[in-house]
């Protein structure tokens, strides 16, 4: 099977892990920098030009690793592969939606997956009302397109919340407001979904005096067992967004687990280190089984 990993650099840990596992299982694997891909449309035909040649029909499968800095063009490249009949582990629409926290929450909320109470607006004239809709301070303020825990602020008083929100609105920064789940104690859960199952799950805990639990912000992790309800939430959320490989973040509250985010390009380094699970192998095994049962085109 010919596999393209769409990644801006071949030295990235997760890219290398998937590359090595795919090679180990006998596949032809190429790392393609989607930022260096050009799309040519002519008279009903389309080409994806990379390093001077058309690669539109060279792959059986693509594995998009699209970061926030390259979301739109990356999604366009994914879309063109999809239109050419190439299987992708993340749909183009899924990549775009997952990068936007508000749209992600709109979709999963519509499907009755529990989430923290959330408000988003661009209206600077009723900030107090927006805060009141969440029951008042403290509240969480998030950039709609932040990642790795960046752009997440805890406003502990109404005064500080108003000041931060007003500043964000004045600079046309797109944010969302969420209730603060105090009982989570700075912990959340990353469930790693591959296909129709959760292949690994990690509890993340923030450093002292930091409510954020993201590993990139200095937090730590440990292997955790999900409840059946949490597994169902994670799998359904990924499916609703059109992602067969996804990182789904949950937080445990007094009223049950709540979904806070879905990542279309979940990193492997932290979760493989803390859980000792070989997630890269699970991704490649899933592709092997998908090709076998869905009769994807092979070279």
């Amino acid at each position: 099977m010919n596999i393209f990993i769409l990644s801006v650099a071949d030295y990235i840990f997760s890219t290398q892990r998937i590359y090595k596992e795919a090679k180990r299982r006998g596949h032809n694997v190429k790392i393609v920098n989607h930022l260096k891909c050009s799309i040519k449309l002519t008279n009903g035909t389309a080409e994806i030009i990379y390093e001077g040649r058309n690669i539109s029909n060279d792959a059986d499968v693509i594995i998009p690793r699209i970061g926030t800095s390259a979301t739109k063009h990356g999604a366009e490249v994914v879309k063109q592969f999809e239109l050419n009949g190439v299987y992708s582990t993340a749909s183009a629409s899924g990549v775009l939606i997952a990068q936007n926290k508000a749209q992600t929450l709109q979709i999963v909320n519509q499907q009755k997956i529990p989430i923290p109470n959330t408000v988003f607006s661009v209206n600077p004239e009723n900030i107090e009302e927006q805060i009141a809709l969440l029951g008042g301070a403290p509240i969480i303020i998030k950039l709609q397109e932040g990642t790795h825990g960046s752009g997440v602020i805890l406003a502990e008083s109404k005064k500080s919340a108003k000041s931060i929100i007003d500043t964000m609105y004045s600079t046309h920064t797109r944010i969302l407001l969420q209730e603060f789940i105090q009982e989570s104690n700075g912990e959340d859960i990353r469930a790693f979904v591959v296909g129709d199952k959760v292949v690994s799950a990690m509890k993340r805990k923030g450093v002292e005096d930091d409510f954020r639990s993201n590993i990139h912000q200095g937090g730590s992790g440990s292997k955790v067992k999900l409840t059946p309800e949490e597994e169902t939430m994670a799998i359904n959320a990924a499916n609703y967004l059109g992602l067969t490989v996804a990182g789904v973040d949950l937080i445990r509250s007094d009223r049950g687990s709540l979904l806070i985010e879905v990542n279309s390009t979940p990193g492997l380094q932290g979760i493989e280190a803390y859980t000792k699970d070989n997630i890269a192998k699970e991704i490649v095994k899933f592709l092997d089984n998908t090709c076998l049962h869905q009769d994807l085109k092979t070279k």
Side-chain angles (χ1 to χ4, degrees):
M1 185 164 59
N2 295 330
I3 299 174
F4 283 179
I5 304 172
L6 303 187
S7 177
V8 295
D10 58 9
Y11 58 81
I12 296 172
F13 180 89
S14 301
T15 299
Q16 274 295 308
R17 284 286 298 116
I18 297 170
Y19 177 88
K20 289 176 181 177
E21 286 296 337
K23 292 287 286 187
R24 189 172 289 123
R25 292 180 69 86
H27 298 296
N28 299 316
V29 193
K30 183 179 180 66
I31 298 171
V32 173
N33 185 343
H34 42 282
L35 288 182
K36 296 183 178 180
C37 290
S38 302
I39 299 174
K40 179 185 177 183
L41 308 177
T42 309
N43 295 326
T45 64
E47 297 179 348
I48 301 171
I49 309 300
Y50 182 69
E51 296 180 339
R53 57 185 300 273
N54 179 19
I55 62 169
S56 300
N57 298 305
D58 290 355
D60 301 306
V61 171
I62 61 170
I63 303 174
R65 303 288 306 173
I66 311 295
T68 54
S69 62
T71 302
K72 292 184 179 179
H73 184 70
E76 290 164 354
V77 173
V78 171
K79 185 64 177 180
Q80 195 57 60
F81 275 114
E82 288 180 322
L83 291 171
N84 289 354
V86 177
Y87 181 83
S88 176
T89 59
S91 68
S93 61
V95 170
L96 289 171
I97 293 169
Q99 292 289 3
N100 184 292
K101 292 181 175 66
Q103 290 185 19
T104 296
L105 293 175
Q106 284 179 296
I107 289 172
V108 299
N109 181 65
Q110 178 70 21
Q111 298 295 334
K112 309 302 183 185
I113 293 178
I115 64 171
N117 293 329
T118 302
V119 172
F120 46 94
S121 177
V122 294
N123 184 4
E125 297 178 1
N126 68 342
I127 293 175
E128 286 196 23
E129 178 182 301
Q130 295 169 39
I131 297 170
L133 289 171
L134 295 173
I139 64 169
I140 302 294
I141 302 169
K142 295 182 179 181
L143 298 181
Q144 287 195 20
E145 297 177 351
T147 187
H148 298 322
S150 63
V152 181
I153 303 166
L154 171 61
E156 298 190 75
S157 68
K158 184 170 76 171
K159 182 177 180 180
S160 64
K162 286 177 61 179
S163 177
I164 295 166
I165 296 167
D166 185 61
T167 299
M168 296 292 193
Y169 286 168
S170 68
T171 58
H172 305 289
T173 302
R174 300 168 69 220
I175 61 173
L176 58 82
L177 316 178
Q178 283 187 329
E179 63 174 316
F180 176 51
I181 308 297
Q182 187 169 4
E183 63 269 22
S184 70
N185 197 31
E187 296 179 348
D188 72 6
I189 292 171
R190 163 60 60 88
F192 206 110
V193 177
V194 177
D196 59 356
K197 66 178 181 177
V198 174
V199 298
S200 184
M202 169 179 64
K203 179 183 286 187
R204 303 181 295 192
K205 184 171 180 59
V207 297
E208 188 175 355
D209 297 326
D210 191 341
F211 72 96
R212 297 172 300 178
S213 56
N214 200 285
I215 301 296
H216 287 82
Q217 300 298 331
S220 60
S222 60
K223 192 177 179 71
V224 67
K225 182 174 177 58
L226 300 186
T227 67
E229 292 78 14
E230 288 170 335
E231 288 195 11
T232 299
M233 285 174 60
I235 294 165
N236 286 345
N239 289 340
Y240 292 142
L241 267 63
L243 305 171
T244 53
V245 174
V248 180
D249 295 342
L250 309 172
I251 193 168
R252 287 172 171 170
S253 75
D254 289 343
R255 63 179 186 272
S257 293
L258 309 171
L259 185 145
I260 54 176
E261 189 173 340
V262 180
N263 193 320
S264 67
T265 310
L268 302 183
Q269 188 167 10
I271 192 167
E272 285 196 337
Y274 285 114
T275 66
K276 309 304 180 186
D277 293 329
N278 190 337
I279 298 172
K281 181 179 179 180
E282 292 293 334
I283 293 171
V284 180
K285 283 173 58 180
F286 166 77
L287 293 175
D288 288 342
N289 292 333
T290 299
C291 289
L292 179 65
H293 292 106
Q294 295 189 10
D295 192 28
L296 297 183
K297 67 188 184 71
T298 56
K299 299 291 186 282

